[in-house]
Structures are given as C-alpha cells and as structure tokens.
Amino acid sequence: MTAPPPLLFLRSPLTFIALAAALSGGVLRVLTVLYLAPIFNVISEKDLSALPGVLLGAGLVAGLGAVALFVQDVCLGRVAARVSGLWRERLLSRLLERSPGNLPGSSGGLTSRILTDLKDVEHYYTILGTMLAESSFLLCVLIALFRTSTLTTLLLFVTVLPLVFLLYWLGRRLKGVTLRSQAKLEQVGSQLQEGFKHHGVIRAFAAGAFLLSRFRNFNKASERQQVRRSFIVSLQAPVAQILTFGAVALLLGLMARRVADGALTPGQLVSYVTLVALLSAPTQLLSKSYASVQQAKAARERLLELWHLPVVTSSSETKPVTGPGLRLENVSFSYDVQTVLQGIHFAFPKRGLVALVGESGAGKSTLVALLLRFLRPTSGEVYLDGQPYAFLKEETLRQRVAYVPQSTDLLSGTVRDNLLLGRAISEEKILWVLKAVRLESLIQSLGLEYELREDGMGLSGGQRQRLAVARALLSEPDVLLLDEPSANLDEDSERVLLETLTLQAKERLVIVVAHRPGVTEAATLVLRLENGQLQEIRKSVASNQ
C-alpha cells in the first residue's frame, strides 16, 4: 500500500526555515527582556550618555525578533495550505478507488469529515511556530533565571510540576472528546447534505418539520460534544495562569529578601522578576498549543483511518483460458449470510440487445455490479474474451465495459466535460456519438460548452439519459450495461432511447436491466434472474411479465 503523505510535519525547506525563525525569535525576545537590567542601571546611575546605545541595541534585537515572527508565520501558513491541499487531493483520489456504494459514510458526511479534520491540521501548523518560539523563549528565560539564582529557580520547577501533569491529563481527555466531537459533526454534515439533495421531496410532502426534528437530534448531540471540547480547551489557560501567579508571588517574596540582604542589585531584581512574570504568557500559550496538538492528533487518526481503507487494485492481464465474449463461470455472491446469486453459468452473445428481468430483490443490480467489477464474486469468475475479471487491468476493463446508471449521474459543468470526463477524444467522434443518440441538433443549438447545473439540470430527463449513453459510447465498449434506463422517461423519450440501443446492439453487446415491456419487446434475448439463477426465456413470454 502506498504510504500516506505527511500530516503533522512536512519535510519542506519552508518548514525548517519557519522553525529556525521561530527558534531565533524566542531567543531574541529573551535578549530584549535582558536589556531591561542595563537600561534600569543606566537610569539609576544618572549617566544618560550610554542610554542611546543601549536603546539602539534593544531596538535592533526587537526588530530582528519581529522579522523572525513574520518569516515564521508566512512559511508555516504556506506549509499548512500545502499539507491541507495535498491531503484533499490524495484522499479524493484514494476514496474514488473504492468500489462504488462502499464509501464509509454519506457524501456530505465524508466532505464534512475531511474538511473539518484538515482544519484542525492547518491550525496545528499555525501554532507550530508559536510552540517552538515560546519553548525557546521559556528555555532561555530558565537559563537566565538559573544564572541569577539557582535555588530559587529550582523551587520554581517544583511549583510548575503539578501544572505539567494537569495539562497532560487534560490533553489526553481533549483528544478523546475531539474524536467524538468530529464524528458527531460528520453526522450533522450528512444530514445537511441529505436535506439539500432531497429538497423537492421534502417540499412535496411538507416534511420540513420531520426533517428538522431528525436533524435537531444529531445537531444537539454534536453541540454537546463541542461544548465539552470547548470546556477542556478553555480550562487550560486559567489553570496555567493561577499556578503561574502562585509561583511568581512566592518567588517575589524570596527575591525581595535577597535584595534587602544585598545579595542582588535592584537591576537584577527587576530583570529576574520581569523574566518570571514573562513565564506566564508562554505557559498559557503552550498549554493552549498542547490542546491544539491533541486535537490535531485526533484529526490525524480519523484521516489515516480513511487512507487505510482497502481499495480496488489493478492486476496483470493473463492469457485467455476460455472462449470469447462475456461469460459467467459458476458465479455466486452473498451479502453476509444472504445468498443472492448461486452457481451461475452463462455465456452472453458477442452482440445484441439483452434484457435482464426479475422481481425486485432478485439480484439484478448485484449482477450488474459484478459485471462492472464493483463487487467481486464470492466464488466463481467473470471472463471477458477469455480474460478473468480478477486479472484485468482497471483501464482495460473501463475501456471495454461501459455503464449507464439509472440516475445518469451527470456533473455540474459543461456538456463537453460530462461527455469526456477527462478523456482525450476528437471533436469528430463526439459529434458522431451525439448524432447516434439523437442529440446532435440540441447540442448544435446549445453548444458543447453549455453549462449544466447539479445532476444535469438544464436538460430534460430524456436528454440527460441520452447524454449518459453518449458518454458511455465514446469509449467504443464491447459491452454496454444500462440499469433501468427508461424507468423515468415518458413514452416518446423511451422510444427514442430504444431505437438508439437497438442500433448499438448491432455492433456490441447491450445488457439492459428492465421492468418496462418496451425494452423486453425490443430485446433479441431476454434473461430472467430468479432464485439466484439466470434463465433464458422467450420474448413472447417476457412481454407478458
């Protein structure tokens, strides 16, 4: 399996530049603070001649720190955008390799899941530089404090230890809450998408109250998890602030006594107390950053879970072992304990219009999915011109077996985009296929660059269905599969479609899942799927089914 792209650390020059800038910025901030002691001493000695030089040095250090912060934020912002974009693209590519109908959730839920999880990852990169800058600042402050008073600084460490353990415990809790919160948010996205997609049905049945009632349950559950997540995040800063204040108060009393004893100068006291006080800001920022890291880790687990889902892999083609054409050899298929197809042996003709009929639930859609290799047989094998399906390369199978779904599945975009789907096909061939499906005059008036809305809105039902047939025919397949193509068409549209399919059946095998008598009457062969078996029946019998 291909390794996933990096999530929480991208090995990019920009990352290392940003981290170097963050480290430098932390050190420069400490140097800026250390200038307080000489400034205070110069003022207390009432000799202001050295003050401009000291102020110039402090200003230079502060300016370099600002530049380092700018470099850090710009570089990490670009890295965050790169990581997020890379994962969106790779995850889409990987999930599209899964068998249709086998995605881990609805389209709306998956979209919400990927975008929200990646937003947590992006936030991780925005605080990564802050974490390093504050850590380096904290380290330098501690070194300076140790040099001033080792014993007092050791006492500071003892005071801070409970804070470290408490923040660690809160971070662990936050990761679990984040996982649950993101899962609930995914369900909310799924419900939103369902409401928008089925807007017409909801309005037609005045089902708005029902949908809102169902949505409200998911929304409330998501809200509760988000509140818990927010509570733990919000708890980090006050805990750090209270414990830090206690440490500062304790140390201030100790340092004041040392000044009274003459062990420290007033300048050293100001510098030390300022450094101790400045520990409060990085401590709070680091506690919040640790919370963000835990949320990013939770997001990483969910994204990697999607990445590691099994996908369909292409295989090497083998030499023919059976005769030509499409053939089923002892094909069986079961869903868990329910057997749908059982030991089917059948050789389809090389060309012709074949109607596939049967009761609802007989397994027609399952058989079509097997012929498309969306599903794999529980036992047995499907062959195409002697090649076992299991060993056919993906690009070879998609070239030779084309599919027209009942819903047509047109995309928002131009007519040309919907026809080609990224394939390199000449203009002459496009026009020839459009003529074959009787869309030539319509496209001449609209143009190939005519923009279709979602689900092909802008064309009639019959036009959308014929456009889907044209899309399939552009690959010049040996086998054309159609799943109830006339189910939503009026009689005139069905007649035009059947005339097109009858003409195409003279050149290739056309298999149509059908419930309406028009298809079975036009078919050269009618097959009934019953009790898990394919039975060949006469047209005169089929037309009365």
Side-chain angles (χ1 to χ4, degrees):
M1 180 184 293
T2 306
L7 255 177
L8 298 188
F9 191 78
L10 181 66
R11 292 189 180 93
S12 161
L14 286 177
T15 305
F16 294 104
I17 291 172
L19 297 183
L23 184 61
S24 303
V27 174
L28 290 168
R29 281 176 58 199
V30 175
L31 292 177
T32 304
V33 175
L34 292 178
Y35 266 96
L36 291 175
I39 291 174
F40 185 83
N41 289 332
V42 167
I43 295 174
S44 63
E45 292 171 2
K46 299 181 181 180
D47 181 12
L48 300 182
S49 60
L51 185 60
V54 175
L55 289 176
L56 180 62
L60 180 62
V61 171
L64 290 175
V67 171
L69 178 63
F70 172 76
V71 172
Q72 161 202 310
D73 288 345
V74 169
C75 291
L76 287 177
R78 293 190 63 179
V79 170
R82 175 60 180 153
V83 169
S84 188
L86 185 67
W87 265 88
R88 288 195 297 267
E89 180 181 336
R90 297 282 181 85
L91 272 178
L92 175 62
S93 173
R94 191 157 186 83
L95 289 173
L96 289 178
E97 292 176 4
R98 286 182 62 78
S99 298
N102 197 26
L103 291 175
S106 69
S107 57
L110 269 178
T111 302
S112 174
R113 174 176 180 170
I114 292 171
L115 294 181
T116 53
D117 284 344
L118 284 175
K119 186 58 66 176
D120 279 341
V121 172
E122 287 182 35
H123 182 63
Y124 164 83
Y125 276 97
T126 62
I127 57 100
L128 185 61
T130 301
M131 287 176 62
L132 186 59
E134 296 300 327
S135 297
S136 62
F137 175 73
L138 194 62
L139 180 62
C140 291
V141 168
L142 290 174
I143 293 172
L145 290 175
F146 266 112
R147 294 184 62 184
T148 304
S149 177
T150 304
L151 183 61
T152 309
T153 307
L154 285 174
L155 182 60
L156 175 64
F157 264 108
V158 174
T159 309
V160 169
L161 278 177
L163 172 64
V164 174
F165 285 115
L166 183 57
L167 292 179
Y168 175 77
W169 179 80
L170 288 173
R172 299 286 295 180
R173 294 274 298 173
L174 179 61
K175 182 179 177 182
V177 171
T178 298
L179 285 170
R180 293 191 291 274
S181 174
Q182 295 296 65
K184 295 297 182 184
L185 195 60
E186 180 183 345
Q187 292 176 337
V188 169
S190 177
Q191 291 294 311
L192 284 172
Q193 185 254 2
E194 191 172 60
F196 297 142
K197 186 174 182 63
H198 302 295
H199 185 203
V201 173
I202 292 164
R203 289 296 303 275
F205 287 89
F210 163 75
L211 186 77
L212 283 173
S213 175
R214 190 174 66 166
F215 174 78
R216 194 173 290 116
N217 294 330
F218 289 98
N219 202 35
K220 286 291 184 183
S222 175
E223 183 181 324
R224 285 193 295 270
Q225 290 297 332
Q226 286 179 301
V227 168
R228 290 171 187 163
R229 175 175 170 175
S230 177
F231 175 78
I232 295 176
V233 171
S234 302
L235 198 60
Q236 314 266 339
V239 167
Q241 190 171 357
I242 291 171
L243 291 179
T244 304
F245 177 79
V248 170
L250 177 62
L251 293 175
L252 185 60
L254 293 173
M255 296 300 292
R257 183 177 295 276
R258 295 195 67 190
V259 172
D261 294 339
L264 290 176
T265 66
Q268 288 175 319
L269 173 64
V270 170
S271 179
Y272 192 92
V273 172
T274 302
L275 287 171
V276 171
L278 287 175
L279 289 176
S280 175
T283 302
Q284 292 181 49
L285 284 172
L286 285 173
S287 66
K288 286 187 174 181
S289 298
Y290 180 67
S292 297
V293 169
Q294 293 303 313
Q295 294 178 80
K297 284 183 176 180
R300 179 184 62 182
E301 286 185 15
R302 286 165 48 81
L303 290 168
L304 289 175
E305 181 182 304
L306 291 179
W307 179 267
H308 290 299
L309 288 171
V311 297
V312 176
T313 56
S314 297
S315 305
S316 301
E317 296 184 11
T318 61
K319 295 181 179 179
V321 294
T322 63
L326 185 63
R327 186 179 184 88
L328 305 174
E329 290 281 357
N330 196 31
V331 170
S332 298
F333 185 84
S334 301
Y335 293 103
D336 296 327
V337 295
Q338 180 187 5
T339 299
V340 181
L341 306 176
Q342 189 170 9
I344 297 178
H345 290 272
F346 191 81
F348 288 90
K350 190 72 175 177
R351 59 183 58 85
L353 180 58
V354 178
L356 179 61
V357 301
E359 298 294 332
S360 178
K364 300 185 298 297
S365 296
T366 299
L367 181 57
V368 169
L370 288 170
L371 295 178
L372 288 165
R373 205 170 68 182
F374 291 169
L375 297 174
R376 297 291 179 88
T378 307
S379 62
E381 186 56 273
V382 183
Y383 293 89
L384 181 61
D385 286 347
Q387 295 280 1
Y389 255 36
F391 296 101
L392 275 174
K393 291 182 179 178
E394 183 74 8
E395 56 270 23
T396 301
L397 181 63
R398 302 308 162 203
Q399 177 73 28
R400 300 188 62 187
V401 180
Y403 176 50
V404 180
Q406 181 180 348
S407 59
T408 68
D409 284 345
L410 297 179
L411 310 177
S412 57
T414 66
V415 172
R416 184 190 299 276
D417 287 341
N418 272 280
L419 284 170
L420 299 183
L421 294 180
R423 297 172 292 182
I425 298 174
S426 67
E427 195 87 1
E428 292 77 15
K429 189 172 181 180
I430 294 173
L431 296 176
W432 174 82
V433 168
L434 290 173
K435 183 177 181 180
V437 299
R438 301 190 179 184
L439 280 179
E440 184 182 27
S441 59
L442 175 70
I443 300 305
Q444 283 178 347
S445 62
L446 295 178
L448 287 171
E449 306 308 319
Y450 178 70
E451 289 278 345
L452 301 178
R453 299 190 296 279
E454 185 180 11
D455 290 333
M457 295 298 293
L459 299 178
S460 69
Q463 290 167 344
R464 277 179 272 178
Q465 193 70 55
R466 280 180 279 153
L467 189 64
V469 174
R471 177 179 63 190
L473 291 176
L474 278 171
S475 60
E476 299 186 60
D478 298 322
V479 181
L480 179 62
L481 291 168
L482 301 98
D483 191 357
E484 299 189 43
S486 60
N488 301 314
L489 302 182
D490 56 37
E491 291 184 4
D492 289 338
S493 297
E494 181 185 28
R495 177 179 49 78
V496 173
L497 176 63
L498 287 177
E499 289 174 359
T500 299
L501 296 180
T502 301
L503 288 173
Q504 292 301 317
K506 295 178 180 180
E507 302 179 18
R508 56 183 53 87
L509 173 61
V510 180
I511 302 174
V512 183
V513 176
H515 280 141
R516 295 173 65 164
V519 177
T520 55
E521 290 169 359
T524 55
L525 174 64
V526 180
L527 301 175
R528 173 178 287 280
L529 190 56
E530 189 173 19
N531 297 324
Q533 293 289 327
L534 271 181
Q535 303 172 7
E536 186 174 340
I537 59 177
R538 296 180 180 277
K539 288 199 296 182
S540 58
V541 176
S543 61
N544 295 323
Q545 302 304 310

